[in-house]
Amino acid sequence: MNAPRQAPFLGETTWARRFETPLREFLRTETGSAAVLLAATLAALAWANAHLPSYEALWGTTLSVRLGDLGISQDLRHWVNNGLMTLFFLVVGLEARREFDMGELRDRRRLLLPVAAGLGGMLVPIGAYLLVNAGEPLAHGWGAAMSTDTAFAMGMLALVASRFPARARTYILTVTVVDDLVALCVIAIFYSEHVRVPALMAAIAIFAVMLLVKYVIGVRKGLVVAVFGVAAWAALQASGVEPVVIGLAMGLLTYASPATRGDLERASDLFRLFREQPTAELARSASAGVAKAVSPNHRLQQLYHPWTSYVIVPLFALANAGIPIDGDFVARALTSPITLGIMAAYILGKPVGIVGATWLVTRLSRGRVRPPVGWAAVTGGGTIAGIGFTVSLLIATLAFSGPRLEEAKFGILAAALCASAVTWIISLLTSRLPSRVRARALLGTAESLIDLASPVDDDRDHLRGPRDAPVTVVEYGDFECPFCGLAEPVVRELLAGHGDVRYVWRHLPLHDVHPWAQLAAEASEAAASQGAFWEMHDVLLEHQGELRPRHLLGYAERIGLDLARFRRDLEGHAGAARIAEDVDSADLSGVSGTPTFFVNGRRHHGAYDITTLSAAVRAARARTALTS
């Protein structure tokens, strides 16, 4: 399609609105909770050093829960460690499933790299620990030297290496998901007590019945599933197998998917019925319809992730990180094989394992499988993965007791401090590289995962900007959508400020909420047949509340179109087929709402204010320069 004559770029925006994705919400929550986790750790250390008897007395208090002759009795520390932490591992399982269904790992070819890096980042640290403790009875504590704390690592990465690209955090997150999955298997197999088979078989049977009720019978009420989960947890607790495993299993079985337009339209219909007749019954139907439009995985993450990150994991730190520290203790710890083994595992073993496995896969695949970021970012991610806290402390409490447990805790805390310092040094050195070398070191040369199902066609799509621009921004929009109207000045400012960006508008009229959107889209196509798409596009977004036929005819007259021809095209729905093609391409690309942006074929998540979109454009430009 010939490029229409350009309308002047007018208007500025100070508006910013965030549209969050599950991954961004996960990363933001993990990053924010790192400060709370650090505060809880310092509070535990201060408390234990100020008055150790009161610290131990509180967490050693026995709490019993009984139902008839059945019951569980354990101290508060164990209720936190194998009770509340089950919810933490539920969130880990949810995130692993989300990455597999919707994230980077949905391209199964990309699964090999984080799996290899995750395994390498565990096996090498284990080897380092065993090397230090060779021949010692302390070698059985190797499990405390292998697992990364996702929350702490993500938070410290954002703090000490803010120059690293967001994809570095995403890559390390996928690696630590593998890390967490393997760590849970290690706990279940190597650090469970003597297994009582009848209770274990009962737990398996309860879990199987839950799956039958949930997926075969179709009863997916949260309360019903929760009852089965608690019963399975209690059975595992009685069996001697660490019961936190049940949380991971339930998370892995909870599917993730984007909201489809069909589900959203049904939710809109239900809400419209409630708006017309606001009864309690219709309110429940509307609420259920809205909830069903969002995948169970996302709903559960929104429900539990803030609690695990801001309450449960900090509470775990408060219950377990308290150790009395004085000169004699430090001198003893620094010569302890446990402390030295854990520090060697995390400070040296983690980065060597992650970077080495990533390099090995890249080399063996002859570059066909490459990390999504540059080697400086991979290295920084490997060093920050040396922060082992939550799972490491959990395994340490299972493997050690008394002074040996205190030495293990000291090693874990010291390793976290050193890993953060080393990552900061890597970030600082990377920032001093020449700009092109720095871009390659941070962004790498791997091809981006393309989310846009239908590539831009210069002869078909509506283009604004230079045709040979290295960066293409595609927007799926709706002329009646108020957020598209608010985003329009941002797009104008983006194009005015970046001469090497081209912009594409594709139609996605949301019939269920915007009754005149389809007609407005057809009006723009009628104008396009006379070479005036962009003039009509701009007018329609300026008058989003006035899109009836008489308004559209007035706009056509204003921009100088042939009114008779415009009316015929509008009445004959001449542009409907073209709009349907755009809608089909939106469905194939997983687009269900407007506005949705793609930058060089990759879906843009989060805010679409000028600052965020400009950053996305700069990153796309740099990546294009590196791979061209």
Side-chain angles (χ1 to χ4, degrees):
M1 181 176 292
N2 293 330
R5 51 188 185 272
Q6 303 269 327
F9 295 114
L10 303 172
E12 297 180 354
T13 182
T14 57
W15 171 76
R17 175 184 173 89
R18 297 201 67 84
F19 283 81
E20 300 297 345
T21 64
L23 177 60
R24 283 185 176 268
E25 290 175 2
F26 187 92
L27 288 172
R28 193 182 67 248
T29 304
E30 292 293 280
T31 301
S33 69
V36 182
L37 181 57
L38 179 60
T41 303
L42 295 176
L45 290 170
W47 185 0
N49 284 276
H51 197 254
L52 183 62
S54 65
Y55 178 81
E56 292 296 339
L58 174 65
W59 298 111
T61 302
T62 300
L63 175 64
S64 300
V65 177
R66 305 198 66 82
L67 182 63
D69 295 332
L70 302 176
I72 298 175
S73 180
Q74 55 185 359
D75 60 38
L76 290 182
R77 180 176 284 120
H78 281 87
W79 277 111
V80 172
N81 290 0
N82 58 25
L84 293 180
M85 286 298 288
T86 303
L87 293 177
F88 168 78
F89 288 108
L90 169 67
V91 172
V92 170
L94 291 171
E95 178 54 24
R97 181 60 186 265
R98 195 215 69 83
E99 277 298 296
F100 197 76
D101 288 345
M102 297 174 59
E104 292 282 338
L105 301 184
R106 71 185 186 276
D107 182 352
R108 300 297 183 251
R109 295 171 299 176
R110 298 183 178 230
L111 183 62
L112 175 63
L113 196 60
V115 167
L119 293 176
M122 301 184 83
L123 294 176
V124 175
I126 290 172
Y129 179 86
L130 293 176
L131 185 64
V132 174
N133 288 273
E136 298 286 340
L138 307 174
H140 75 284
W142 55 267
M146 64 178 189
S147 184
T148 298
D149 186 290
T150 304
F152 233 150
M154 293 299 103
M156 294 308 295
L157 185 64
L159 179 64
V160 303
S162 58
R163 301 177 185 88
F164 282 10
R167 297 179 86 184
R169 293 193 291 276
T170 303
Y171 177 65
I172 294 303
L173 178 63
T174 58
V175 171
T176 58
V177 164
V178 176
D179 186 304
D180 286 331
L181 298 182
V182 176
L184 259 291
C185 295
V186 167
I187 291 174
I189 297 171
F190 297 100
Y191 290 97
S192 294
E193 300 174 1
H194 296 294
V195 176
R196 289 174 281 279
V197 176
L200 178 60
M201 297 305 296
I204 295 173
I206 293 170
F207 191 72
V209 172
M210 183 195 72
L211 296 181
L212 178 67
V213 169
K214 185 176 180 181
Y215 294 107
V216 179
I217 301 177
V219 178
R220 300 185 180 183
K221 295 290 185 181
L223 181 60
V224 175
V225 175
V227 169
F228 277 106
V230 171
W233 179 91
L236 282 178
Q237 174 75 7
S239 74
V241 175
E242 275 300 312
V244 293
V245 174
I246 196 67
L248 180 70
M250 294 179 72
L252 288 173
L253 291 171
T254 305
Y255 74 89
S257 62
T260 65
R261 285 198 306 116
D263 290 337
L264 294 174
E265 288 171 358
R266 280 190 291 273
S268 297
D269 291 340
L270 289 170
F271 181 79
R272 188 177 295 111
L273 288 174
F274 169 71
R275 178 68 179 84
E276 294 170 352
Q277 190 177 1
T279 64
E281 182 180 358
L282 289 176
R284 286 193 298 271
S285 298
S287 178
V290 171
K292 288 180 180 178
V294 181
S295 73
N297 187 289
H298 194 188
R299 291 202 303 271
L300 290 176
Q301 279 209 45
Q302 282 195 321
L303 177 62
Y304 290 118
H305 192 202
W307 283 100
T308 59
S309 294
Y310 289 102
V311 178
I312 292 175
V313 173
L315 190 62
F316 172 85
L318 187 63
N320 292 277
I323 52 175
I325 298 177
D326 55 28
D328 292 338
F329 170 77
V330 173
R332 186 181 84 243
L334 291 179
T335 58
S336 165
I338 296 176
T339 303
L340 296 177
I342 289 175
M343 292 182 67
Y346 280 118
I347 299 172
L348 298 176
K350 269 291 180 182
V352 169
I354 290 176
V355 177
T358 303
W359 175 85
L360 185 62
V361 170
T362 303
R363 185 66 180 267
L364 292 177
S365 68
R366 298 181 179 179
R368 289 190 297 272
V369 178
R370 287 177 288 177
V373 290
W375 288 103
V378 172
T379 304
T383 55
I384 206 66
I387 297 179
F389 192 82
T390 306
V391 179
S392 296
L393 284 178
L394 180 60
I395 296 179
T397 60
L398 299 172
F400 302 114
S401 61
R404 290 179 175 178
L405 177 57
E406 293 176 350
E407 292 165 6
K409 291 180 178 180
F410 182 82
I412 293 168
L413 296 174
L417 181 63
C418 293
S420 300
V422 173
T423 305
W424 176 77
I425 292 172
I426 292 173
S427 175
L428 182 64
L429 293 176
T430 304
S431 69
R432 296 183 177 179
L433 295 173
S435 57
R436 186 172 179 83
V437 177
R438 182 173 66 249
R440 183 179 292 271
L442 292 175
L443 298 176
T445 57
E447 294 182 359
S448 294
L449 187 64
I450 300 300
D451 301 307
L452 187 65
S454 300
V456 173
D457 185 341
D458 290 0
D459 296 324
R460 175 195 178 278
D461 279 304
H462 300 299
L463 305 175
R464 205 171 211 171
R467 287 178 172 271
D468 58 349
V471 180
T472 300
V473 176
V474 176
E475 177 185 357
Y476 282 92
D478 173 320
F479 287 115
E480 201 174 352
C481 168
F483 301 120
C484 294
L486 291 168
E488 173 61 13
V490 178
V491 173
R492 289 173 175 268
E493 188 174 350
L494 183 73
L495 292 175
H498 298 269
D500 58 350
V501 175
R502 64 175 182 170
Y503 168 72
V504 175
W505 170 279
R506 286 182 176 176
H507 301 287
L508 184 59
L510 304 178
H511 312 276
D512 54 319
V513 289
H514 301 142
W516 300 106
Q518 176 71 25
L519 188 63
E522 292 177 9
S524 71
E525 290 302 322
S529 69
Q530 300 186 43
F533 172 82
W534 290 109
E535 288 85 341
M536 181 61 77
H537 165 278
D538 295 345
V539 172
L540 293 174
L541 288 176
E542 289 171 4
H543 301 85
Q544 291 187 294
E546 299 174 322
L547 299 177
R548 286 174 169 79
R550 67 177 187 277
H551 299 128
L552 301 178
L553 291 171
Y555 304 149
E557 183 178 12
R558 180 194 305 181
I559 62 177
L561 299 183
D562 180 336
L563 282 182
R565 179 182 171 187
F566 179 82
R567 184 190 294 272
R568 285 195 306 272
D569 288 345
L570 199 60
E571 292 176 349
H573 303 286
R578 160 63 188 268
I579 295 165
E581 291 176 1
D582 282 356
V583 172
D584 288 342
S585 73
D587 288 340
L588 292 173
S589 302
V591 177
S592 56
T594 57
T596 297
F597 290 92
F598 293 80
V599 181
N600 276 4
R602 189 175 181 88
R603 186 163 180 165
H604 173 74
H605 295 298
Y608 43 81
D609 59 284
I610 187 60
T611 301
T612 308
L613 274 180
S614 294
V617 165
R618 287 193 296 271
R621 182 190 300 123
R623 187 170 294 279
T624 300
L626 291 174
T627 56
S628 60

